[in-house]
Amino acid sequence: MTTETLLQRAAELLTPFTKDSARPESNRLDVAISANDLPAAAETLSNADWGYLSAITGMDLAPEADELEALYHFCDKAAVMTLRVRLPRAGRPEIPSISPQIPAAAFFERELGEMLGVTVVGTPDPSRLFLPDDWPEGVYPLRRDFKQEQAAPVETANRPEGGRVGNKFIVPIGPQHPALKEPGHFEFEVDGEVITGARMRLGYVHRGIEKATEERNWIQNLYLLERVCGICSHTHTSVYSQGVEKLAQVETPPRALAIRELVAGLERIHSHLLWLGVAAHEAGFDTLFMYSWRDRETVMNLLEELTGNRVNYSICVLGGVKQDILPEQAASIHQAIGYLEERIRYYLDVVSSDTFFLQRTRGIGTMTLDEAKRFGSLGPTARASGLRRDVRLDSPYGAYTRFPVSIVTDERGDLEARFAVRMKELLVTCSTIRAIVDNLPAGELTTRFPRKIPAGETVSRVEAPRGEVFYFIKSGGGESPTRLKIRTPSLCNWTSVLNKAVGHQLADVPMLIAGMDPCFSCNDRMVTVRGKKDSRSMTWSELREYGIQKYQGRR
């Protein structure tokens, strides 16, 4: 179906619940409904197999209106349909849960409740997801009137972790654990060695980035958002730049778009090779871990040659890119890609044939196509179950119309399939990078860009190595955004991991987690700083200046 047909179908499905509707962009439909109609509307979309729930954005409309707004974004290929629900800001605003209809909503609803103060009635787990246990009750960091001093920690009773609770035995893992390189807390209910229940807690590296963007201008946010994730730094600047450029109605030069895609391809190779090593380490296959990380240095050295940096590349600017691809750099890319292709084929053979490795992957964590749809899975995790979901093909952006990629899927749905999909995907990426270098469009690298962005809202989506990254950007017509929502793919894929862990051995947990290629840094987007001066009474700018001065040894 075309985008227009998909949006018309969504409008027809939602007619019984629609209070008002609008078309803010050619590929978007906004539908205002009442809170009471939300579960029925979600069930209607789910039964009709119209797209998937990509994100929930909570907004405080003060001071213009004494209301909150919850935006439920559904995506179907290039079409984006948003259910908009208005709630009173005062008192105890309530909204019914849609988790019974769409399990992937559970994490989004927990975030909506703790960050904006919306009580989600009927959600399976109303506990905090990101905010710490000593965060004061009734303080919501995404409210417009939130002040730094409100976040003063409060004393809390320590919740027992692990041990027997009734007839259940709870095994805690994390937040600090030798098998996990980033902090996340899991609680697995077990019967002997078999998992019978699972839950998780995030937020240990939460940095309040969404809130921080509101106090920085459009250009400063480029460097802030690049630090959402060290592995996908280019992904975040690309999706942000793309969204702001749409709001500003600025056309980015074709050469710049091609270079963005090239760097995205190199970042995908870096990410997948890093993941391959981590996953191999979890399986006890340390030889594969060391080999893949050795070869990862090849692409990191290449990124350093092209951009000057090995982690945060800073290649994007609003309206273009900073660096060009020179002839000697093109030669380096060809040489590196030739070597990496050979190594990737070798790794594909290893993960598909090594007897020891297959004992840890074949038939483990199998997720069917229907389950992948129900859990809202994204990226290689979804494609390994046969779900053809890839923003680069569903809604081509940037240079992907000029340099398309082919999708890689697998029908088996287990850990072995997820390894195979990622390795085959890298072979496609190598071919695409070679095509870009050989056919790089001529022209400028940048175009003029305004300081102030016209008022409006936009949705920007790109395909990161782990799956779709979703940005909702709202401008009030000034030099800073009034709301910026970030949803990374790991937050969607956790639903499938926790569900598929049930019934498996506890020893399978590290591989199940590693198999989805999680990024806790991407999930967590609060830092408590304590020094000689009470930082909790500082503004964001004072806190930043304090940190700079402390780093320089002035305090």
Side-chain angles (χ1 to χ4, degrees):
M1 292 187 187
T2 65
T3 301
E4 187 62 32
T5 303
L6 286 169
L7 292 177
Q8 288 176 358
R9 182 164 177 257
E12 292 169 1
L13 290 169
L14 296 170
T15 298
F17 317 107
T18 302
K19 296 166 61 177
D20 192 14
S21 64
R23 291 287 300 273
E25 294 178 293
S26 61
N27 69 320
R28 289 176 55 207
L29 170 67
D30 280 7
V31 178
I33 66 172
S34 68
N36 292 334
D37 287 334
L38 183 59
E43 186 172 19
T44 298
L45 293 170
S46 179
N47 291 341
D49 199 23
W50 198 99
Y52 58 96
L53 179 66
S54 186
I56 298 177
T57 300
M59 290 202 297
D60 185 354
L61 302 181
E64 290 80 11
D66 193 25
E67 290 179 305
L68 305 176
E69 190 172 36
L71 279 57
Y72 291 70
H73 308 285
F74 291 80
C75 298
D76 194 336
K77 298 190 183 300
V80 180
M81 192 281 304
T82 301
L83 298 177
R84 307 185 78 113
V85 181
R86 290 285 185 99
L87 302 167
R89 191 170 181 274
R92 187 172 178 265
E94 292 185 351
I95 196 168
S97 171
I98 63 170
S99 294
Q101 295 80 21
I102 304 175
F107 281 125
F108 301 149
E109 291 174 346
R110 289 171 71 181
E111 184 179 16
L112 181 68
E114 65 183 349
M115 295 296 186
L116 205 66
V118 176
T119 301
V120 183
V121 180
T123 191
D125 185 358
S127 64
R128 289 176 177 175
L129 180 65
F130 292 120
L131 295 181
D133 291 332
D134 61 357
W135 186 270
E137 293 289 340
V139 176
Y140 308 110
L142 286 183
R143 292 279 183 109
R144 302 293 294 177
D145 55 359
F146 170 74
K147 303 296 182 184
Q148 188 81 2
E149 55 270 19
Q150 292 178 280
V154 297
E155 291 187 9
T156 59
N158 292 326
R159 185 170 63 90
E161 295 180 349
R164 188 177 296 276
V165 180
N167 294 324
K168 304 175 183 177
F169 197 84
I170 307 297
V171 177
I173 298 180
Q176 282 74 40
H177 190 274
L180 302 172
K181 302 302 182 288
E182 294 180 281
H185 182 71
F186 302 85
E187 290 182 355
F188 294 99
E189 177 189 322
V190 298
D191 181 1
E193 287 292 320
V194 178
I195 299 170
T196 59
R199 67 186 302 273
M200 70 176 295
R201 175 74 181 273
L202 301 171
Y204 294 94
V205 287
H206 201 292
R207 291 151 289 159
I209 286 179
E210 289 185 9
K211 186 69 173 180
T213 60
E214 298 172 9
E215 300 204 8
R216 288 161 175 79
N217 64 40
W218 297 102
I219 295 175
Q220 290 171 330
N221 281 329
L222 264 174
Y223 303 96
L224 177 66
L225 295 170
E226 189 172 40
R227 284 151 180 81
V228 169
C229 175
I231 303 172
C232 306
S233 62
H234 177 68
T235 294
H236 286 277
T237 56
S238 293
V239 65
Y240 171 74
S241 298
Q242 177 178 282
V244 177
E245 287 158 3
K246 281 198 294 183
L247 283 174
Q249 298 182 351
V250 168
E251 187 173 344
T252 307
R255 188 176 182 89
L257 294 177
I259 292 174
R260 284 184 186 177
E261 182 179 342
L262 187 150
V263 175
L266 294 174
E267 184 175 69
R268 184 175 300 272
I269 298 174
H270 165 220
S271 177
H272 282 0
L273 288 179
L274 182 147
W275 164 82
L276 177 63
V278 171
H281 175 66
E282 302 294 359
F285 198 168
D286 278 356
T287 302
L288 180 56
F289 161 60
M290 289 183 280
Y291 274 22
S292 62
W293 276 43
R294 178 199 65 186
D295 293 333
R296 168 177 164 258
E297 288 295 311
T298 301
V299 71
M300 293 190 73
N301 290 338
L302 187 57
L303 284 163
E304 183 179 17
E305 181 181 344
L306 298 180
T307 70
N309 297 305
R310 286 164 58 88
V311 180
N312 296 321
Y313 318 122
S314 297
I315 190 73
C316 285
V317 295
L318 296 179
V321 294
K322 286 182 180 178
Q323 306 290 344
D324 202 357
I325 304 298
L326 304 177
E328 56 269 26
Q329 293 171 328
S332 297
I333 293 172
H334 275 296
Q335 182 179 2
I337 291 299
Y339 169 77
L340 288 168
E341 268 186 326
E342 180 182 345
R343 298 303 299 166
I344 291 164
R345 293 185 192 277
Y346 170 71
Y347 295 139
L348 176 59
D349 179 63
V350 170
V351 301
S352 303
S353 62
D354 185 87
T355 303
F356 165 79
F357 197 69
L358 292 178
Q359 291 175 354
R360 302 299 307 274
T361 61
R362 181 167 290 177
I364 303 298
T366 303
M367 180 169 58
T368 66
L369 173 61
D370 289 339
E371 287 176 327
K373 290 180 179 179
R374 184 168 179 266
F375 295 146
S377 299
L378 300 173
T381 302
R383 295 192 285 272
S385 295
L387 181 55
R388 298 177 63 84
R389 184 172 287 172
D390 190 321
V391 182
R392 296 173 297 173
L393 285 84
D394 296 339
S395 180
Y397 55 91
Y400 284 101
T401 53
R402 183 189 291 257
F403 302 103
V405 296
S406 56
I407 193 167
V408 177
T409 60
D410 199 302
E411 306 299 325
R412 293 170 292 175
D414 59 2
L415 284 176
E416 182 187 359
R418 290 166 209 165
F419 278 86
V421 163
R422 284 183 173 90
M423 293 302 100
K424 292 177 182 178
E425 185 174 282
L426 289 190
L427 295 176
V428 172
T429 301
C430 288
S431 178
T432 305
I433 289 173
R434 190 176 286 113
I436 294 173
V437 173
D438 291 341
N439 301 278
L440 199 61
E444 299 295 326
L445 296 179
T446 60
T447 188
R448 292 178 62 86
F449 207 85
R451 288 185 60 186
K452 293 185 177 181
I453 305 300
E457 298 175 354
T458 191
V459 167
S460 184
R461 302 154 65 208
V462 304
E463 187 73 15
R466 296 173 176 85
E468 177 199 63
V469 171
F470 179 102
Y471 270 46
F472 172 84
I473 307 171
K474 181 176 182 178
S475 170
E479 297 184 19
S480 302
T482 56
R483 180 72 170 99
L484 195 150
K485 168 66 181 177
I486 306 169
R487 199 275 298 137
T488 58
S490 294
L491 197 60
C492 296
N493 287 331
W494 280 123
T495 304
S496 65
V497 171
L498 296 182
N499 277 274
K500 299 310 295 185
V502 176
H504 279 82
Q505 298 285 322
L506 190 61
D508 289 327
V509 165
M511 284 299 289
L512 287 171
I513 293 174
M516 65 161 268
D517 190 10
C519 180
F520 293 84
S521 180
C522 281
N523 284 324
D524 300 347
R525 298 157 318 275
M526 193 112 19
V527 175
T528 300
V529 180
R530 291 182 175 90
K532 293 181 181 178
K533 182 176 180 179
D534 185 2
S535 63
R536 294 190 299 269
S537 63
M538 300 184 198
T539 65
W540 284 106
S541 58
E542 289 173 336
L543 185 61
R544 183 171 66 250
E545 181 62 27
Y546 170 71
I548 293 172
Q549 292 179 0
K550 186 174 182 180
Y551 176 77
Q552 294 172 341
R554 296 176 184 174
R555 298 193 181 192

